[in-house]
Amino acid sequence: EAQTWYGELSPPERRTFWACFSGWALDAMDVQIYSFVIPSLITAWSISKADAGALATAALLLSSIGGWVAGLLADRIGRVRTLQITILWFAFFTGLSGLAQNFEQLFATRALMGLGFGGEWAAGSVLMGEVIRARHRGKAVGTVQSGWAVGWGAAVILQAILFSTLPDQIAWRALFFCGIAPAFLVFFVRKHVPEPAVFEATRAAMQAKGGVRPSLWAIFSPRWLKTTLLCSLLATGAQGGYYAITTWLPSYLKTEKHLSVLNSSGYLAVIIVGSFTGYVVGAYLTDRIGRRNNAFLFSVCSTLTVLVYAFVPIDNATMLVLGFPLGFFASGVFSGIGAFFTELFPTALRGSGQGFAYNFGRAVGALFPWLVGVLSATMNLGEAIGLFAAGAYGLMFLAALLLPETKGRELTEDA
């Protein structure tokens, strides 16, 4: 079936797929770079764990605003143009982070990077959801999510190379400079990726009616409010759990499990392979068993894995093995979300609805790394990660329970 669905894509669909996949991979690389420089920053600038968590949270909070703004822009100026703007934005500010001279400057560049990082998902996910036909939508949109694991892996490899060849105080800056790379993807997107037909048809229909556009607040109107709220809660659960784990895991492995950087990279490699596999399997399952069942399955399994990781005393070998299911379930959770949200909102509001819901989830989820940092002052860091992750996935399960199943739904000009 893998060959079948990809083989059925037209050349424009394939180019869109690879543009969104690459954009998401490079976005992930730029974001994950930060988790590897935390120990160096704590040493270089004598900042606390809570300060380090606040830097991660600032980027995520601003990304929630960026995602909603990009969603609104995608409904107005087009999916493709918005994608180009967001990629250039996050690449520029990641590179600029490498020049920061103090905590305050880095705080500003990371926060501004977040605006573009949030926007990239909003524009890319809507673009993919609209371009791919209904029966393959879950597989295609979910597989694009696996680009996150590729970008994360790239960040790990760059970190391993730079920190083993350069002094610490230069290596972390060089790592941020690598984040400029995504800017070059814009040339490909500009040349090869068209706007989705359903979006163009909707825009033409609106112009035929005198160019009337839906209000900026239409997703909060009585008709769409329940959908917007439940999607926002589902996204909060998925992202709160994920960010609590990924922001702090490298530090947890290093400080409390006393692993060297290279050993830590080995553990992360297992998690990243698990993560990639989780995205791809989740993408298949979301078309096979449905959007809601996929959310139920992955949220329950994520909770169980994180609790074992955080609370059960385990030796190094077991920990290595556990990395695979941790990455698999925490990432697979996201595979069905893009297609689900695409099908829950009408075309005229799709960018706005998806952008707001996913990024509201990111805004609330963004508080989790900071809260984990604060809580780790009074309890074991692993326990803090476990508590927040379990609560987050419970919320995701509840939201999926209250949403309708949308598997196989066709997108139209007005729905």
Side-chain angles (χ1 to χ4, degrees), residues 23 52 82 115 145 155 170 179 211 249 271 291 316 325 343 389 404:
T82 307
L115 282 173
Q145 291 276 164
I170 297 172
L249 206 65
I271 292 167
R291 308 336 186 197
N316 275 348
E343 291 155 354

Side-chain angles (χ1 to χ4, degrees), residues 163-388:
F163 277 88
S164 60
T165 55
L166 296 169
D168 248 28
Q169 64 270 30
I170 297 172
W172 71 263
R173 293 182 185 279
L175 199 52
F176 277 132
F177 294 146
C178 293
I180 297 167
F184 296 101
L185 177 65
V186 169
F187 297 111
F188 175 85
V189 173
R190 192 175 178 132
K191 191 170 180 188
H192 296 294
V193 180
E195 288 291 351
V198 71
F199 171 70
E200 295 286 27
T202 303
R203 190 149 62 170
M206 277 196 259
Q207 279 168 346
K209 291 176 188 166
V212 180
R213 291 182 178 281
S215 142
L216 288 177
W217 310 103
I219 56 169
F220 305 110
S221 66
R223 186 178 173 194
W224 296 107
L225 183 62
K226 183 185 171 190
T227 300
T228 302
L229 289 177
L230 288 174
C231 287
S232 300
L233 286 179
L234 185 128
T236 299
Q239 304 203 67
Y242 185 82
Y243 286 127
I245 297 163
T246 54
T247 303
W248 282 111
L249 206 65
S251 297
Y252 172 61
L253 295 177
K254 194 169 183 178
T255 58
E256 300 204 9
K257 294 292 171 182
H258 306 297
L259 303 167
S260 72
V261 169
L262 287 173
N263 280 346
S264 178
S265 297
Y267 277 84
L268 284 170
V270 176
I271 292 167
I272 290 165
V273 171
S275 177
F276 180 82
T277 314
Y279 282 126
V280 175
V281 171
Y284 273 84
L285 285 177
T286 198
D287 274 347
R288 185 64 56 84
I289 65 175
R291 308 336 186 197
R292 294 169 77 230
N293 286 338
N294 197 59
F296 296 149
L297 175 69
F298 278 90
S299 56
V300 169
C301 293
S302 294
T303 305
L304 295 174
T305 314
V306 173
L307 290 177
V308 170
Y309 216 88
F311 291 103
V312 177
I314 39 181
D315 59 18
N316 275 348
T318 318
M319 188 118 175
L320 188 63
V321 173
L322 267 179
F324 187 87
L326 181 78
F328 184 94
F329 294 115
S331 295
V333 147
F334 289 96
S335 290
I337 292 179
F340 201 11
F341 285 9
T342 292
E343 291 155 354
L344 284 164
F345 288 102
T347 302
L349 303 178
R350 188 164 293 124
S352 172
Q354 259 187 263
F356 176 83
Y358 193 82
N359 290 288
F360 175 88
R362 186 178 272 146
V364 181
L367 297 173
F368 285 40
W370 173 67
L371 291 168
V372 168
V374 171
L375 202 61
S376 69
T378 55
M379 67 161 63
N380 171 296
L381 182 58
E383 290 174 1
I385 294 169
L387 279 175
F388 276 103

